[in-house]
PDB file of all heavy atoms in Angstrom:
ATOM      1  N   LEU G 290     -10.514   5.578   7.883  1.00  0.00           N
ATOM      2  CA  LEU G 290      -9.813   4.623   7.027  1.00  0.00           C
ATOM      3  C   LEU G 290      -9.660   5.222   5.638  1.00  0.00           C
ATOM      4  O   LEU G 290     -10.629   5.745   5.072  1.00  0.00           O
ATOM      5  CB  LEU G 290     -10.595   3.310   6.930  1.00  0.00           C
ATOM      6  CG  LEU G 290     -10.291   2.232   7.982  1.00  0.00           C
ATOM      7  CD1 LEU G 290     -10.486   2.758   9.392  1.00  0.00           C
ATOM      8  CD2 LEU G 290     -11.158   1.004   7.748  1.00  0.00           C
ATOM      9  N   VAL G 291      -8.457   5.154   5.105  1.00  0.00           N
ATOM     10  CA  VAL G 291      -8.168   5.754   3.803  1.00  0.00           C
ATOM     11  C   VAL G 291      -7.787   4.675   2.800  1.00  0.00           C
ATOM     12  O   VAL G 291      -6.817   3.932   3.009  1.00  0.00           O
ATOM     13  CB  VAL G 291      -7.010   6.780   3.902  1.00  0.00           C
ATOM     14  CG1 VAL G 291      -6.861   7.523   2.569  1.00  0.00           C
ATOM     15  CG2 VAL G 291      -7.240   7.762   5.035  1.00  0.00           C
ATOM     16  N   ASP G 292      -8.549   4.589   1.715  1.00  0.00           N
ATOM     17  CA  ASP G 292      -8.227   3.656   0.631  1.00  0.00           C
ATOM     18  C   ASP G 292      -7.306   4.368  -0.352  1.00  0.00           C
ATOM     19  O   ASP G 292      -7.690   5.387  -0.939  1.00  0.00           O
ATOM     20  CB  ASP G 292      -9.512   3.198  -0.069  1.00  0.00           C
ATOM     21  CG  ASP G 292      -9.248   2.082  -1.066  1.00  0.00           C
ATOM     22  OD1 ASP G 292      -8.158   1.486  -1.020  1.00  0.00           O
ATOM     23  OD2 ASP G 292     -10.133   1.801  -1.893  1.00  0.00           O
ATOM     24  N   CYS G 293      -6.099   3.857  -0.530  1.00  0.00           N
ATOM     25  CA  CYS G 293      -5.093   4.499  -1.374  1.00  0.00           C
ATOM     26  C   CYS G 293      -5.049   3.856  -2.760  1.00  0.00           C
ATOM     27  O   CYS G 293      -5.355   2.670  -2.915  1.00  0.00           O
ATOM     28  CB  CYS G 293      -3.713   4.379  -0.741  1.00  0.00           C
ATOM     29  SG  CYS G 293      -3.605   5.074   0.916  1.00  0.00           S
ATOM     30  N   PRO G 294      -4.636   4.616  -3.774  1.00  0.00           N
ATOM     31  CA  PRO G 294      -4.423   4.013  -5.095  1.00  0.00           C
ATOM     32  C   PRO G 294      -3.227   3.067  -5.049  1.00  0.00           C
ATOM     33  O   PRO G 294      -2.351   3.203  -4.184  1.00  0.00           O
ATOM     34  CB  PRO G 294      -4.156   5.212  -6.002  1.00  0.00           C
ATOM     35  CG  PRO G 294      -3.693   6.298  -5.087  1.00  0.00           C
ATOM     36  CD  PRO G 294      -4.367   6.062  -3.771  1.00  0.00           C
ATOM     37  N   PRO G 295      -3.161   2.098  -5.990  1.00  0.00           N
ATOM     38  CA  PRO G 295      -2.063   1.119  -5.988  1.00  0.00           C
ATOM     39  C   PRO G 295      -0.787   1.670  -6.631  1.00  0.00           C
ATOM     40  O   PRO G 295      -0.204   1.042  -7.514  1.00  0.00           O
ATOM     41  CB  PRO G 295      -2.651  -0.043  -6.795  1.00  0.00           C
ATOM     42  CG  PRO G 295      -3.573   0.617  -7.744  1.00  0.00           C
ATOM     43  CD  PRO G 295      -4.188   1.781  -7.006  1.00  0.00           C
ATOM     44  N   SER G 296      -0.379   2.830  -6.187  1.00  0.00           N
ATOM     45  CA  SER G 296       0.847   3.453  -6.697  1.00  0.00           C
ATOM     46  C   SER G 296       1.277   4.516  -5.706  1.00  0.00           C
ATOM     47  O   SER G 296       0.476   4.974  -4.890  1.00  0.00           O
ATOM     48  CB  SER G 296       0.618   4.083  -8.079  1.00  0.00           C
ATOM     49  OG  SER G 296      -0.387   5.074  -8.001  1.00  0.00           O
ATOM     50  N   LEU G 297       2.539   4.907  -5.782  1.00  0.00           N
ATOM     51  CA  LEU G 297       3.034   5.958  -4.907  1.00  0.00           C
ATOM     52  C   LEU G 297       2.970   7.282  -5.655  1.00  0.00           C
ATOM     53  O   LEU G 297       3.813   7.576  -6.494  1.00  0.00           O
ATOM     54  CB  LEU G 297       4.468   5.663  -4.457  1.00  0.00           C
ATOM     55  CG  LEU G 297       5.070   6.691  -3.496  1.00  0.00           C
ATOM     56  CD1 LEU G 297       4.230   6.784  -2.223  1.00  0.00           C
ATOM     57  CD2 LEU G 297       6.503   6.325  -3.146  1.00  0.00           C
ATOM     58  N   ASN G 298       1.938   8.068  -5.374  1.00  0.00           N
ATOM     59  CA  ASN G 298       1.786   9.380  -5.997  1.00  0.00           C
ATOM     60  C   ASN G 298       1.377  10.382  -4.928  1.00  0.00           C
ATOM     61  O   ASN G 298       1.399  10.075  -3.733  1.00  0.00           O
ATOM     62  CB  ASN G 298       0.760   9.316  -7.144  1.00  0.00           C
ATOM     63  CG  ASN G 298      -0.589   8.770  -6.693  1.00  0.00           C
ATOM     64  OD1 ASN G 298      -0.938   8.817  -5.507  1.00  0.00           O
ATOM     65  ND2 ASN G 298      -1.358   8.259  -7.639  1.00  0.00           N
ATOM     66  N   ILE G 299       0.979  11.579  -5.326  1.00  0.00           N
ATOM     67  CA  ILE G 299       0.658  12.616  -4.347  1.00  0.00           C
ATOM     68  C   ILE G 299      -0.570  12.240  -3.516  1.00  0.00           C
ATOM     69  O   ILE G 299      -0.704  12.657  -2.368  1.00  0.00           O
ATOM     70  CB  ILE G 299       0.451  13.982  -5.051  1.00  0.00           C
ATOM     71  CG1 ILE G 299       0.394  15.126  -4.026  1.00  0.00           C
ATOM     72  CG2 ILE G 299      -0.802  13.973  -5.911  1.00  0.00           C
ATOM     73  CD1 ILE G 299       1.663  15.333  -3.243  1.00  0.00           C
ATOM     74  N   LEU G 300      -1.464  11.418  -4.079  1.00  0.00           N
ATOM     75  CA  LEU G 300      -2.647  10.994  -3.326  1.00  0.00           C
ATOM     76  C   LEU G 300      -2.254  10.028  -2.209  1.00  0.00           C
ATOM     77  O   LEU G 300      -2.695  10.170  -1.063  1.00  0.00           O
ATOM     78  CB  LEU G 300      -3.662  10.338  -4.263  1.00  0.00           C
ATOM     79  CG  LEU G 300      -4.205  11.227  -5.383  1.00  0.00           C
ATOM     80  CD1 LEU G 300      -5.110  10.428  -6.313  1.00  0.00           C
ATOM     81  CD2 LEU G 300      -4.944  12.435  -4.819  1.00  0.00           C
ATOM     82  N   THR G 301      -1.405   9.059  -2.541  1.00  0.00           N
ATOM     83  CA  THR G 301      -0.914   8.130  -1.522  1.00  0.00           C
ATOM     84  C   THR G 301      -0.078   8.866  -0.486  1.00  0.00           C
ATOM     85  O   THR G 301      -0.173   8.603   0.725  1.00  0.00           O
ATOM     86  CB  THR G 301      -0.090   7.009  -2.170  1.00  0.00           C
ATOM     87  OG1 THR G 301      -0.898   6.317  -3.117  1.00  0.00           O
ATOM     88  CG2 THR G 301       0.403   6.019  -1.125  1.00  0.00           C
ATOM     89  N   LEU G 302       0.747   9.794  -0.944  1.00  0.00           N
ATOM     90  CA  LEU G 302       1.576  10.568  -0.024  1.00  0.00           C
ATOM     91  C   LEU G 302       0.711  11.379   0.936  1.00  0.00           C
ATOM     92  O   LEU G 302       1.019  11.474   2.131  1.00  0.00           O
ATOM     93  CB  LEU G 302       2.510  11.498  -0.807  1.00  0.00           C
ATOM     94  CG  LEU G 302       3.559  12.248   0.016  1.00  0.00           C
ATOM     95  CD1 LEU G 302       4.441  11.274   0.783  1.00  0.00           C
ATOM     96  CD2 LEU G 302       4.406  13.136  -0.887  1.00  0.00           C
ATOM     97  N   ASN G 303      -0.383  11.950   0.443  1.00  0.00           N
ATOM     98  CA  ASN G 303      -1.316  12.655   1.317  1.00  0.00           C
ATOM     99  C   ASN G 303      -1.869  11.735   2.386  1.00  0.00           C
ATOM    100  O   ASN G 303      -1.988  12.113   3.555  1.00  0.00           O
ATOM    101  CB  ASN G 303      -2.462  13.252   0.492  1.00  0.00           C
ATOM    102  CG  ASN G 303      -2.270  14.725   0.206  1.00  0.00           C
ATOM    103  OD1 ASN G 303      -2.828  15.582   0.887  1.00  0.00           O
ATOM    104  ND2 ASN G 303      -1.465  15.020  -0.805  1.00  0.00           N
ATOM    105  N   ALA G 304      -2.223  10.515   1.979  1.00  0.00           N
ATOM    106  CA  ALA G 304      -2.762   9.547   2.935  1.00  0.00           C
ATOM    107  C   ALA G 304      -1.731   9.205   4.006  1.00  0.00           C
ATOM    108  O   ALA G 304      -2.057   9.143   5.198  1.00  0.00           O
ATOM    109  CB  ALA G 304      -3.215   8.294   2.204  1.00  0.00           C
ATOM    110  N   LEU G 305      -0.482   8.983   3.601  1.00  0.00           N
ATOM    111  CA  LEU G 305       0.569   8.621   4.555  1.00  0.00           C
ATOM    112  C   LEU G 305       0.911   9.776   5.485  1.00  0.00           C
ATOM    113  O   LEU G 305       1.262   9.558   6.652  1.00  0.00           O
ATOM    114  CB  LEU G 305       1.813   8.151   3.804  1.00  0.00           C
ATOM    115  CG  LEU G 305       1.662   6.854   2.996  1.00  0.00           C
ATOM    116  CD1 LEU G 305       2.952   6.529   2.258  1.00  0.00           C
ATOM    117  CD2 LEU G 305       1.238   5.687   3.883  1.00  0.00           C
ATOM    118  N   CYS G 306       0.813  10.987   4.987  1.00  0.00           N
ATOM    119  CA  CYS G 306       1.092  12.156   5.832  1.00  0.00           C
ATOM    120  C   CYS G 306      -0.045  12.424   6.812  1.00  0.00           C
ATOM    121  O   CYS G 306       0.166  13.056   7.847  1.00  0.00           O
ATOM    122  CB  CYS G 306       1.332  13.394   4.963  1.00  0.00           C
ATOM    123  SG  CYS G 306       2.911  13.383   4.093  1.00  0.00           S
ATOM    124  N   ALA G 307      -1.245  11.952   6.477  1.00  0.00           N
ATOM    125  CA  ALA G 307      -2.406  12.170   7.349  1.00  0.00           C
ATOM    126  C   ALA G 307      -2.604  11.041   8.347  1.00  0.00           C
ATOM    127  O   ALA G 307      -3.316  11.204   9.341  1.00  0.00           O
ATOM    128  CB  ALA G 307      -3.663  12.332   6.502  1.00  0.00           C
ATOM    129  N   ALA G 308      -1.993   9.889   8.084  1.00  0.00           N
ATOM    130  CA  ALA G 308      -2.277   8.680   8.866  1.00  0.00           C
ATOM    131  C   ALA G 308      -1.453   8.570  10.135  1.00  0.00           C
ATOM    132  O   ALA G 308      -0.358   9.126  10.240  1.00  0.00           O
ATOM    133  CB  ALA G 308      -2.040   7.449   7.995  1.00  0.00           C
ATOM    134  N   ASP G 309      -2.002   7.828  11.078  1.00  0.00           N
ATOM    135  CA  ASP G 309      -1.243   7.411  12.253  1.00  0.00           C
ATOM    136  C   ASP G 309      -0.532   6.099  11.961  1.00  0.00           C
ATOM    137  O   ASP G 309       0.593   5.881  12.398  1.00  0.00           O
ATOM    138  CB  ASP G 309      -2.179   7.218  13.453  1.00  0.00           C
ATOM    139  CG  ASP G 309      -2.894   8.496  13.842  1.00  0.00           C
ATOM    140  OD1 ASP G 309      -2.217   9.510  14.058  1.00  0.00           O
ATOM    141  OD2 ASP G 309      -4.138   8.476  13.915  1.00  0.00           O
ATOM    142  N   THR G 310      -1.242   5.227  11.233  1.00  0.00           N
ATOM    143  CA  THR G 310      -0.692   3.904  10.951  1.00  0.00           C
ATOM    144  C   THR G 310      -1.026   3.473   9.525  1.00  0.00           C
ATOM    145  O   THR G 310      -1.910   4.034   8.874  1.00  0.00           O
ATOM    146  CB  THR G 310      -1.246   2.842  11.931  1.00  0.00           C
ATOM    147  OG1 THR G 310      -2.678   2.814  11.838  1.00  0.00           O
ATOM    148  CG2 THR G 310      -0.836   3.145  13.365  1.00  0.00           C
ATOM    149  N   VAL G 311      -0.324   2.426   9.070  1.00  0.00           N
ATOM    150  CA  VAL G 311      -0.538   1.869   7.732  1.00  0.00           C
ATOM    151  C   VAL G 311      -0.905   0.401   7.855  1.00  0.00           C
ATOM    152  O   VAL G 311      -0.195  -0.377   8.505  1.00  0.00           O
ATOM    153  CB  VAL G 311       0.737   2.003   6.861  1.00  0.00           C
ATOM    154  CG1 VAL G 311       0.483   1.436   5.469  1.00  0.00           C
ATOM    155  CG2 VAL G 311       1.171   3.467   6.767  1.00  0.00           C
ATOM    156  N   LEU G 312      -2.024   0.022   7.246  1.00  0.00           N
ATOM    157  CA  LEU G 312      -2.438  -1.371   7.195  1.00  0.00           C
ATOM    158  C   LEU G 312      -2.163  -1.881   5.784  1.00  0.00           C
ATOM    159  O   LEU G 312      -2.591  -1.257   4.807  1.00  0.00           O
ATOM    160  CB  LEU G 312      -3.922  -1.503   7.545  1.00  0.00           C
ATOM    161  CG  LEU G 312      -4.465  -2.913   7.766  1.00  0.00           C
ATOM    162  CD1 LEU G 312      -5.685  -2.868   8.690  1.00  0.00           C
ATOM    163  CD2 LEU G 312      -4.861  -3.586   6.454  1.00  0.00           C
ATOM    164  N   VAL G 313      -1.457  -2.999   5.688  1.00  0.00           N
ATOM    165  CA  VAL G 313      -1.029  -3.526   4.391  1.00  0.00           C
ATOM    166  C   VAL G 313      -1.694  -4.877   4.120  1.00  0.00           C
ATOM    167  O   VAL G 313      -1.348  -5.877   4.752  1.00  0.00           O
ATOM    168  CB  VAL G 313       0.499  -3.697   4.338  1.00  0.00           C
ATOM    169  CG1 VAL G 313       0.930  -4.139   2.936  1.00  0.00           C
ATOM    170  CG2 VAL G 313       1.210  -2.404   4.737  1.00  0.00           C
ATOM    171  N   PRO G 314      -2.644  -4.930   3.184  1.00  0.00           N
ATOM    172  CA  PRO G 314      -3.181  -6.230   2.778  1.00  0.00           C
ATOM    173  C   PRO G 314      -2.180  -6.938   1.858  1.00  0.00           C
ATOM    174  O   PRO G 314      -1.622  -6.325   0.946  1.00  0.00           O
ATOM    175  CB  PRO G 314      -4.463  -5.874   2.000  1.00  0.00           C
ATOM    176  CG  PRO G 314      -4.702  -4.423   2.259  1.00  0.00           C
ATOM    177  CD  PRO G 314      -3.363  -3.832   2.533  1.00  0.00           C
ATOM    178  N   ILE G 315      -1.958  -8.214   2.110  1.00  0.00           N
ATOM    179  CA  ILE G 315      -1.051  -9.011   1.283  1.00  0.00           C
ATOM    180  C   ILE G 315      -1.791 -10.244   0.786  1.00  0.00           C
ATOM    181  O   ILE G 315      -2.314 -11.024   1.578  1.00  0.00           O
ATOM    182  CB  ILE G 315       0.211  -9.436   2.063  1.00  0.00           C
ATOM    183  CG1 ILE G 315       1.089  -8.222   2.342  1.00  0.00           C
ATOM    184  CG2 ILE G 315       1.004 -10.476   1.286  1.00  0.00           C
ATOM    185  CD1 ILE G 315       2.405  -8.569   2.996  1.00  0.00           C
ATOM    186  N   GLN G 316      -1.821 -10.400  -0.535  1.00  0.00           N
ATOM    187  CA  GLN G 316      -2.477 -11.554  -1.140  1.00  0.00           C
ATOM    188  C   GLN G 316      -1.610 -12.795  -0.963  1.00  0.00           C
ATOM    189  O   GLN G 316      -0.397 -12.760  -1.158  1.00  0.00           O
ATOM    190  CB  GLN G 316      -2.712 -11.285  -2.624  1.00  0.00           C
ATOM    191  CG  GLN G 316      -3.454 -12.379  -3.351  1.00  0.00           C
ATOM    192  CD  GLN G 316      -3.648 -12.042  -4.821  1.00  0.00           C
ATOM    193  OE1 GLN G 316      -3.158 -11.023  -5.305  1.00  0.00           O
ATOM    194  NE2 GLN G 316      -4.359 -12.895  -5.533  1.00  0.00           N
ATOM    195  N   CYS G 317      -2.236 -13.896  -0.597  1.00  0.00           N
ATOM    196  CA  CYS G 317      -1.499 -15.136  -0.356  1.00  0.00           C
ATOM    197  C   CYS G 317      -1.260 -15.877  -1.665  1.00  0.00           C
ATOM    198  O   CYS G 317      -1.746 -17.002  -1.877  1.00  0.00           O
ATOM    199  CB  CYS G 317      -2.265 -16.018   0.625  1.00  0.00           C
ATOM    200  SG  CYS G 317      -2.367 -15.326   2.284  1.00  0.00           S
ATOM    201  N   GLU G 318      -0.495 -15.263  -2.547  1.00  0.00           N
ATOM    202  CA  GLU G 318      -0.168 -15.868  -3.823  1.00  0.00           C
ATOM    203  C   GLU G 318       1.264 -15.510  -4.222  1.00  0.00           C
ATOM    204  O   GLU G 318       1.910 -14.668  -3.598  1.00  0.00           O
ATOM    205  CB  GLU G 318      -1.155 -15.425  -4.908  1.00  0.00           C
ATOM    206  CG  GLU G 318      -2.557 -16.003  -4.724  1.00  0.00           C
ATOM    207  CD  GLU G 318      -3.443 -15.833  -5.950  1.00  0.00           C
ATOM    208  OE1 GLU G 318      -3.002 -15.174  -6.918  1.00  0.00           O
ATOM    209  OE2 GLU G 318      -4.568 -16.353  -5.937  1.00  0.00           O
ATOM    210  N   TYR G 319       1.733 -16.141  -5.278  1.00  0.00           N
ATOM    211  CA  TYR G 319       3.091 -15.902  -5.775  1.00  0.00           C
ATOM    212  C   TYR G 319       3.279 -14.417  -6.077  1.00  0.00           C
ATOM    213  O   TYR G 319       2.369 -13.750  -6.551  1.00  0.00           O
ATOM    214  CB  TYR G 319       3.302 -16.743  -7.031  1.00  0.00           C
ATOM    215  CG  TYR G 319       4.749 -16.891  -7.430  1.00  0.00           C
ATOM    216  CD1 TYR G 319       5.667 -17.462  -6.570  1.00  0.00           C
ATOM    217  CD2 TYR G 319       5.176 -16.474  -8.685  1.00  0.00           C
ATOM    218  CE1 TYR G 319       6.999 -17.613  -6.928  1.00  0.00           C
ATOM    219  CE2 TYR G 319       6.506 -16.620  -9.068  1.00  0.00           C
ATOM    220  CZ  TYR G 319       7.413 -17.191  -8.180  1.00  0.00           C
ATOM    221  OH  TYR G 319       8.729 -17.339  -8.544  1.00  0.00           O
ATOM    222  N   TYR G 320       4.454 -13.890  -5.822  1.00  0.00           N
ATOM    223  CA  TYR G 320       4.793 -12.476  -5.974  1.00  0.00           C
ATOM    224  C   TYR G 320       4.119 -11.589  -4.927  1.00  0.00           C
ATOM    225  O   TYR G 320       4.119 -10.374  -5.049  1.00  0.00           O
ATOM    226  CB  TYR G 320       4.441 -11.939  -7.372  1.00  0.00           C
ATOM    227  CG  TYR G 320       5.280 -12.513  -8.485  1.00  0.00           C
ATOM    228  CD1 TYR G 320       4.691 -12.937  -9.663  1.00  0.00           C
ATOM    229  CD2 TYR G 320       6.665 -12.633  -8.366  1.00  0.00           C
ATOM    230  CE1 TYR G 320       5.438 -13.470 -10.696  1.00  0.00           C
ATOM    231  CE2 TYR G 320       7.430 -13.156  -9.383  1.00  0.00           C
ATOM    232  CZ  TYR G 320       6.813 -13.579 -10.548  1.00  0.00           C
ATOM    233  OH  TYR G 320       7.560 -14.100 -11.576  1.00  0.00           O
ATOM    234  N   ALA G 321       3.508 -12.204  -3.910  1.00  0.00           N
ATOM    235  CA  ALA G 321       2.813 -11.416  -2.896  1.00  0.00           C
ATOM    236  C   ALA G 321       3.748 -10.436  -2.185  1.00  0.00           C
ATOM    237  O   ALA G 321       3.343  -9.343  -1.801  1.00  0.00           O
ATOM    238  CB  ALA G 321       2.160 -12.340  -1.880  1.00  0.00           C
ATOM    239  N   LEU G 322       5.007 -10.859  -2.023  1.00  0.00           N
ATOM    240  CA  LEU G 322       5.955 -10.014  -1.294  1.00  0.00           C
ATOM    241  C   LEU G 322       6.608  -8.961  -2.187  1.00  0.00           C
ATOM    242  O   LEU G 322       7.355  -8.116  -1.703  1.00  0.00           O
ATOM    243  CB  LEU G 322       7.038 -10.889  -0.648  1.00  0.00           C
ATOM    244  CG  LEU G 322       6.527 -11.929   0.355  1.00  0.00           C
ATOM    245  CD1 LEU G 322       7.681 -12.713   0.940  1.00  0.00           C
ATOM    246  CD2 LEU G 322       5.726 -11.267   1.438  1.00  0.00           C
ATOM    247  N   GLU G 323       6.297  -9.058  -3.489  1.00  0.00           N
ATOM    248  CA  GLU G 323       6.869  -8.086  -4.417  1.00  0.00           C
ATOM    249  C   GLU G 323       6.370  -6.690  -4.054  1.00  0.00           C
ATOM    250  O   GLU G 323       5.191  -6.425  -3.951  1.00  0.00           O
ATOM    251  CB  GLU G 323       6.445  -8.423  -5.843  1.00  0.00           C
ATOM    252  CG  GLU G 323       7.116  -7.566  -6.908  1.00  0.00           C
ATOM    253  CD  GLU G 323       6.698  -8.011  -8.300  1.00  0.00           C
ATOM    254  OE1 GLU G 323       7.137  -9.096  -8.730  1.00  0.00           O
ATOM    255  OE2 GLU G 323       5.917  -7.294  -8.931  1.00  0.00           O
ATOM    256  N   GLY G 324       7.246  -5.790  -3.825  1.00  0.00           N
ATOM    257  CA  GLY G 324       6.868  -4.417  -3.490  1.00  0.00           C
ATOM    258  C   GLY G 324       6.740  -4.150  -2.006  1.00  0.00           C
ATOM    259  O   GLY G 324       6.693  -2.980  -1.604  1.00  0.00           O
ATOM    260  N   LEU G 325       6.666  -5.213  -1.184  1.00  0.00           N
ATOM    261  CA  LEU G 325       6.513  -4.982   0.251  1.00  0.00           C
ATOM    262  C   LEU G 325       7.738  -4.289   0.840  1.00  0.00           C
ATOM    263  O   LEU G 325       7.609  -3.373   1.649  1.00  0.00           O
ATOM    264  CB  LEU G 325       6.254  -6.302   0.983  1.00  0.00           C
ATOM    265  CG  LEU G 325       6.069  -6.195   2.505  1.00  0.00           C
ATOM    266  CD1 LEU G 325       4.889  -5.304   2.845  1.00  0.00           C
ATOM    267  CD2 LEU G 325       5.885  -7.584   3.122  1.00  0.00           C
ATOM    268  N   THR G 326       8.927  -4.699   0.388  1.00  0.00           N
ATOM    269  CA  THR G 326      10.152  -4.063   0.866  1.00  0.00           C
ATOM    270  C   THR G 326      10.170  -2.591   0.501  1.00  0.00           C
ATOM    271  O   THR G 326      10.521  -1.724   1.324  1.00  0.00           O
ATOM    272  CB  THR G 326      11.391  -4.763   0.282  1.00  0.00           C
ATOM    273  OG1 THR G 326      11.385  -6.140   0.660  1.00  0.00           O
ATOM    274  CG2 THR G 326      12.673  -4.101   0.791  1.00  0.00           C
TER     275      THR G 326
END
């Protein structure tokens, strides 16, 4: 399991290139869908 920083940078890109799948936690509050697209 890889914990990624809350931004798209070379560290997150490394995680995505190494992963089989992506798990996305979504907070059940206003603006929760912001950034999901």
Side-chain angles (χ1 to χ4, degrees):
L290 271 56
V291 188
D292 188 15
C293 303
S296 60
L297 182 60
N298 55 23
I299 191 64
L300 299 175
T301 301
L302 187 58
N303 260 262
L305 295 178
C306 287
D309 298 307
T310 58
V311 181
L312 190 154
V313 185
I315 291 185
Q316 183 180 4
C317 293
E318 290 193 355
Y319 196 59
Y320 292 135
L322 300 181
E323 187 177 288
L325 180 60
T326 301

